[in-house]
Amino acid sequence: MSNVTPVRPDVNAPTTSTTRSLRGRRRGTLENGQQAPNGGERLLIGVVLAVCTAAVMIPFLGIISTSLSTSEHLNQAGGFTLWPDGFHIGAYVSILTGGVVTRALLVSIGVTTVGTLLSLAVSSMMAFGLSRPGSLLHKPILLVLLFSLLFSPGLIPLYLTVKQVGLLNSYWSLILPGLISAFNVIVLRAFFMNIPNELFESARLDGASDWHIFTRLVLPLSKAVLAVIGLFYAVGYWNSFFNALLYLSDQSKWPLTLVMRTYVLDNAQLSQGDLGAAVDALPPQPALQMAMLIIAIFPILCVYPFLQKHFTTGMLTGAVKG
Amino acid sequence: MTPLSRRQFVHASLAIAALSGGGLLSGCGGGSSSDNPTDKGGANGGDAVPAPTYRPLENGPKPDIAGDVNIPDTFFNYPSDPFQSVTEMAGDGKPVSILTQTFSPVTAQPPKNTAWQNLNDKIGSELTIQQIPAGEYSTKFSTTLAGQQLPDMFFIAEVSDMPAMVQATCLDLSDHLSGDAILKYPNLAAIPTDAWEAGRFGGRLYGLPSPRGAMSSGILYKRDDMLKAKGIDGTWGSFQEFFDLAKEINDPRGGVWASTSVPGQYIKNMLGMPNFWNYDGKTMQSWWMVPEMEQALEAQRSWVEAGLMNPDAFSSPNTKLWFSTGKGYFNPDAFTAWAQYWVGATSGFDFGGCEIPAFEGGGDGHMWVSFPSFGRSAINKNAGDRVETLLKVANYLAAPFGTQEFLDVKYGKEGVDYTLNGSDPEPTPAGGANSQIGVKYIVDAKVPNYLPGHKESAQKLDTLIRALMPNALYNDAVYLYSKEQEKNFAEALTEFGALEGDIVQGRKQVSDWKPAADKWWKDHGQKMADELAQAYVDAGRKK
């Protein structure tokens, strides 16, 4: 098996061809023969893109600025500001020293890490099995998988199942019910099916078992799609709050997103909801709420740039050719 | 993994029904109508037991201005020597599990949460509380019900076929609470009688209330300081005068609008429209069907057309903040918000509530009195062997204002969660958060009028509520049961709400209202009204 060298399949062929073609085209003419946009058109495109970018970035800037502002400044600004009146990290300090959020952050990181690794392992093994035509019962299993993509079991049956297998109030209840995403398995399967069959034949001639082919040949060739699917799983686990709400009765086990929900969303209802006795504490400042949002999205933002380069290859190859 | 038992199947069915039909009414303040509290031997069987005796604490603190069943007691300061209303340990040393909802951020757990830990120590049992965000409570309740995982005490979410669910799941407390039996639990006996009706099903008492009533009724707040600065006294005799005043003070260029949002309920109150349902001696009259509804729509539409409210009022309302920061003169809110507006108030800040004149002038309008209780909680049928302990715990949690137990429940531990300013408790930053553990939705005391450091404002509240209550309108169908209402009211509420929004914002005409209302009346409303009227008579209610 040692002489089986991971070889990159021809998955990049279209990209390479396109690059060559672009290099060779006449100046001012696109590959398909259309004229390249002139200065005015490019300006218009630039303006449209700038507006779109601003539409995304301005709210984000507002969230950061609000999280760093003082109460006085926010009151003057009506609760949301695009520029802070200084650099006040009081909201972050109070959140992170409270104990609830830091614990929830650790829970989220743990569940996301373990869940993503397990999901990737199980999904890729399942996809590999389903991608090989000779696998036992691979067609019925594929049909069941597709069925689960179209129909969900429903809340109560799922809850009862989790209860019956003894997962209530366990961290595993946040991972196992969503361990396999049918969509992700299908994307992985499509990618694996594009790996040239000759490579498998050559490996078999060298005496490699299915497990060796999977671990030494398929996985190294599939880093791009695994990165993308891993990101999908990670974002899914990170953002998930509903399973925790249903299955965890011990709220010290709650992940960050569920804690964040009580800070950000439910307080929006304070004006309509019952506030009870006259001793209720004030709702958290908008700065506190925005700081929670930043803390919640920061880890995913950190991971994203490292995986972005795999997106085009990982997604388009698997999806389009599948 | 074991197969589902028959009992589990029944619970799952109830939960699925709850998920499919319940929840929509949960925003109505708990207990809009989907129960059968006063059924005397009807579909749910059983004669109605007497309501719990109402008896305020005999040796409790004396208020500065005494209220009555509807008017809250006013206290200018917390008693310097709080009354001890519970003399023996309430708990039995074993944990008491609780499922409740919360509108606040989730709190830390004991022992880090000193307020919660203090309560555990004082009660003598560990309270294991699940605080579920209010928006998700219905779902959590339904699944927990299906899995037979309901704890010892739980807040009951709005579900369809409530009587069946309650009778299958909750402990019948009638023998412990009906009539004078409740006097064994003096703090529970200090809860007004009408609040207990929220927990009556099939004539029996299953629920523990969180009394609200007049104090959670909606009013229109006004910024007295801002009006005074403009030389305006803030009174008017008709809608037209109110409208003219609003136009005069409206200043969109300066970022200050007459109102934070459209004062729809205030206008309806001016018109004397029914508070949801009005029993006219023969049948129930719906607010959607009265001719004044079109007048209310036209008045609201003209308010919007004149640009008298914050332009973000429909898209992203932040009305409390706008009102607090002087971006609006008028703000619709409930009496319970009065204390909140004083927290963090700057110097010179002052506000009050608006009296309600008749729409055309020459008389009074009519405030709508809110639900007597914020929903109801129950004790699990499976916890029947501990019922006395659990009622003692409830008795502790329902301790009225002025008692030491009230401080324990609402403020936490002295010196850590709150400090005393004179005799008034002031929450510390940590204590303000720690004490929001959601037990006030399990059972609560009557809401007091207590604004420490703001004696004049407390007097202002007392004066206003006394002025409004004599003309106030009650929902005559509150806690009455109608099968038709259970099936179709929530949907109608959504549809009429959307139609009202469309008309007020100019997307539809006022004339579009009547055909829609007539159709609803023909399809469902008439039947609903008949059933509710019959339930009203059966319950022995009189006007």
Side-chain angles (χ1 to χ4, degrees):
Chain A
M1 198 51 215
S2 58
N3 58 349
V4 178
T5 309
V7 178
R8 189 174 178 78
D10 195 19
V11 291
N12 282 338
T15 311
T16 312
S17 159
T18 305
T19 310
R20 263 202 310 273
S21 174
L22 285 172
R23 280 194 197 122
R25 71 171 188 252
R26 279 194 297 122
R27 197 174 187 184
T29 307
L30 294 176
E31 184 186 8
N32 59 9
Q34 289 182 337
Q35 287 294 309
N38 60 30
E41 289 169 338
R42 285 164 62 186
L43 180 66
L44 183 65
I45 292 169
V47 169
V48 170
L49 288 176
V51 169
C52 292
T53 306
V56 174
M57 293 307 296
I58 287 176
F60 198 69
L61 174 69
I63 290 172
I64 296 173
S65 299
T66 303
S67 73
L68 296 171
S69 296
T70 59
S71 300
E72 295 76 21
H73 181 66
L74 289 175
N75 286 343
Q76 286 296 321
F80 193 77
T81 182
L82 288 178
W83 202 251
D85 59 331
F87 191 80
H88 307 277
I89 57 168
Y92 292 91
V93 171
S94 80
I95 285 174
L96 294 173
T97 53
V100 175
V101 175
T102 43
R103 185 182 171 88
L105 188 61
L106 290 176
V107 169
S108 279
I109 290 171
V111 167
T112 302
T113 306
V114 174
T116 303
L117 291 175
L118 280 177
S119 289
L120 269 180
V122 176
S123 298
S124 58
M125 283 191 278
M126 186 175 189
F128 178 63
L130 292 174
S131 71
R132 311 320 304 163
S135 303
L136 182 67
L137 295 176
H138 81 283
K139 281 192 176 171
I141 292 173
L142 187 60
L143 282 176
V144 170
L145 190 75
L146 289 172
F147 184 82
S148 76
L149 195 64
L150 299 174
F151 302 98
S152 84
L155 208 55
I156 303 289
L158 199 56
Y159 181 88
L160 292 177
T161 305
V162 170
K163 183 199 164 198
Q164 294 288 77
V165 296
L167 291 181
L168 284 184
N169 209 27
S170 152
Y171 287 122
W172 289 110
S173 66
L174 308 185
I175 295 173
L176 296 182
L179 190 66
I180 294 176
S181 154
F183 173 80
N184 289 344
V185 171
I186 287 166
V187 171
L188 281 167
R189 174 180 172 269
F191 189 94
F192 294 160
M193 290 176 79
N194 286 330
I195 297 176
N197 206 33
E198 291 78 5
L199 288 175
F200 295 106
E201 289 171 358
S202 134
R204 288 218 180 277
L205 285 174
D206 289 336
S209 65
D210 282 335
W211 178 249
H212 275 101
I213 290 174
F214 176 64
T215 54
R216 307 291 292 272
L217 178 67
V218 174
L219 291 185
L221 290 175
S222 310
K223 282 178 187 165
V225 74
L226 288 173
V228 173
I229 298 301
L231 184 65
F232 283 175
Y233 274 125
V235 171
Y237 281 116
W238 186 264
N239 287 339
S240 170
F241 72 93
F242 205 62
N243 283 356
L245 179 84
L246 293 184
Y247 306 136
L248 298 182
S249 55
D250 180 357
Q251 64 195 42
S252 67
K253 293 180 176 176
W254 280 9
L256 185 64
T257 39
L258 187 50
V259 172
M260 183 183 75
R261 197 170 173 81
T262 68
Y263 271 80
V264 180
L265 284 188
D266 283 307
N267 277 284
Q269 302 171 10
L270 278 174
S271 59
Q272 298 145 18
D274 178 79
L275 293 158
V279 295
D280 283 330
L282 259 189
Q285 296 291 323
L288 210 58
Q289 297 174 326
M290 296 304 122
M292 276 297 292
L293 285 178
I294 295 291
I295 290 170
I297 60 178
F298 184 72
I300 288 292
L301 276 182
C302 289
V303 172
Y304 192 83
F306 297 102
L307 299 177
Q308 193 185 15
K309 63 182 179 182
H310 297 298
F311 254 77
T312 309
T313 311
M315 276 314 297
L316 290 185
T317 304
V320 174
K321 286 192 176 179
Chain B
M1 185 167 167
T2 53
L4 281 180
S5 66
R6 183 179 160 276
R7 180 183 287 266
Q8 284 174 316
F9 180 77
V10 170
H11 277 86
S13 303
L14 282 170
I16 290 167
L19 271 179
S20 61
L24 289 173
L25 294 176
S26 57
C28 295
S32 53
S33 58
S34 58
D35 41 15
N36 189 3
T38 48
D39 176 8
K40 293 181 175 178
N44 300 292
D47 291 327
V49 297
T53 302
Y54 172 60
R55 183 173 296 176
L57 281 185
E58 287 173 3
N59 299 315
K62 297 285 173 276
D64 293 294
I65 307 174
D68 57 28
V69 170
N70 292 315
I71 308 288
D73 290 333
T74 297
F75 294 88
F76 296 139
N77 297 102
Y78 207 87
S80 54
D81 186 17
F83 178 67
Q84 196 85 29
S85 67
V86 178
T87 50
E88 61 174 22
M89 198 64 95
D92 57 6
K94 297 174 189 167
V96 174
S97 54
I98 293 173
L99 177 66
T100 184
Q101 61 174 358
T102 178
F103 291 92
S104 304
V106 63
T107 65
Q109 302 275 309
K112 191 157 191 171
N113 186 329
T114 45
W116 188 343
Q117 182 63 55
N118 180 60
L119 198 55
N120 288 348
D121 296 341
K122 292 286 185 73
I123 284 179
S125 274
E126 183 193 351
L127 303 179
T128 53
I129 306 170
Q130 294 184 61
Q131 307 160 45
I132 305 301
E136 273 75 47
Y137 190 77
S138 277
T139 308
K140 175 72 178 181
F141 181 78
S142 302
T143 49
T144 309
L145 172 69
Q148 293 182 283
Q149 298 291 306
L150 285 172
D152 298 330
M153 303 173 84
F154 49 88
F155 179 79
I156 302 177
E158 293 292 332
V159 297
S160 56
D161 204 3
M162 182 83 98
M165 188 279 292
V166 166
Q167 287 167 346
T169 315
C170 309
L171 191 66
D172 183 350
L173 301 173
S174 304
D175 294 343
H176 302 275
L177 300 177
S178 178
D180 286 347
I182 199 173
L183 298 178
K184 190 176 174 187
Y185 311 99
N187 293 339
L188 293 178
I191 294 175
T193 303
D194 58 351
W196 289 99
E197 295 304 314
R200 191 190 282 273
F201 296 87
R204 310 285 294 175
L205 296 168
Y206 290 88
L208 299 170
S210 295
R212 294 293 183 265
M215 267 301 271
S216 62
S217 301
I219 56 165
L220 187 67
Y221 281 84
K222 59 187 168 86
R223 281 291 296 263
D224 285 338
D225 53 339
M226 292 167 62
L227 291 168
K228 193 175 174 186
K230 286 205 168 264
I232 296 168
D233 70 350
T235 57
W236 44 87
S238 67
F239 174 73
Q240 191 57 51
E241 287 180 23
F242 177 49
F243 189 75
D244 292 341
L245 169 65
K247 281 203 289 191
E248 183 188 333
I249 58 179
N250 197 44
D251 179 20
R253 288 191 176 181
V256 182
W257 286 267
S259 65
T260 57
S261 60
V262 184
Q265 183 170 320
Y266 185 71
I267 291 169
K268 289 167 187 166
N269 290 167
M270 281 177 143
L271 286 161
M273 287 173 57
N275 181 354
F276 279 71
W277 294 100
N278 173 52
Y279 185 69
D280 64 2
K282 286 184 180 174
T283 187
M284 285 284 176
Q285 201 181 19
S286 163
W287 64 325
W288 292 324
M289 295 303 296
V290 295
E292 289 87 355
M293 185 65 199
E294 287 174 280
Q295 224 176 329
L297 291 169
E298 181 56 42
Q300 291 180 77
R301 196 196 56 72
S302 63
W303 193 274
V304 174
E305 196 172 65
L308 298 178
M309 78 293 152
N310 192 303
D312 292 331
F314 292 108
S315 56
S316 54
N318 202 353
T319 52
K320 281 181 190 291
L321 185 68
W322 295 337
F323 184 68
S324 298
T325 55
K327 297 188 183 305
Y329 288 86
F330 302 110
N331 181 45
D333 209 333
F335 272 116
T336 40
W338 200 293
Q340 292 179 349
Y341 288 123
W342 278 117
V343 181
T346 51
S347 175
F349 176 81
D350 193 20
F351 67 91
C354 301
E355 293 191 13
I356 310 173
F359 190 85
E360 302 290 358
D364 291 318
H366 304 271
M367 181 181 78
W368 288 347
V369 181
S370 186
F371 292 92
S373 169
F374 186 88
R376 77 288 281 169
S377 69
I379 292 175
N380 195 327
K381 215 171 195 171
N382 297 333
D385 56 334
R386 293 179 71 201
V387 60
E388 293 205 359
T389 297
L390 297 175
L391 284 174
K392 282 182 190 171
V393 171
N395 182 61
Y396 198 102
L397 298 177
F401 183 89
T403 62
Q404 179 57 46
E405 293 77 18
F406 186 92
L407 288 174
D408 297 336
V409 175
K410 305 289 185 188
Y411 290 90
K413 185 172 186 173
E414 186 184 349
V416 183
D417 297 303
Y418 71 91
T419 55
L420 289 178
N421 179 7
S423 60
D424 292 315
E426 285 187 349
T428 61
N434 283 342
S435 55
Q436 304 298 313
I437 54 177
V439 289
K440 67 183 172 189
Y441 303 114
I442 293 297
V443 66
D444 203 357
K446 196 180 160 194
V447 181
N449 174 21
Y450 170 59
L451 305 166
H454 303 288
K455 181 180 174 182
E456 287 180 9
S457 193
Q459 287 171 324
K460 209 188 273 189
L461 189 157
D462 180 71
T463 304
L464 181 66
I465 203 166
R466 284 175 194 276
L468 296 179
M469 278 307 290
N471 294 314
L473 296 176
Y474 292 82
N475 178 355
D476 289 336
V478 71
Y479 306 135
L480 291 180
Y481 179 73
S482 150
K483 196 87 181 166
E484 184 67 21
Q485 176 165 267
E486 183 180 271
K487 281 196 300 189
N488 294 305
F489 187 75
E491 187 184 347
L493 198 63
T494 306
E495 286 178 1
F496 279 121
L499 179 58
E500 184 172 0
D502 285 343
I503 292 171
V504 168
Q505 293 176 70
R507 293 192 290 267
K508 287 188 176 172
Q509 303 297 313
V510 174
S511 57
D512 290 332
W513 181 269
K514 194 164 186 315
D518 287 343
K519 184 176 184 310
W520 169 77
W521 186 255
K522 188 180 162 198
D523 293 346
H524 307 293
Q526 177 76 65
K527 193 176 178 192
M528 224 176 268
D530 291 346
E531 288 179 358
L532 288 171
Q534 188 59 50
Y536 186 93
V537 173
D538 290 348
R541 294 189 187 180
K542 287 176 187 169
K543 291 203 90 169

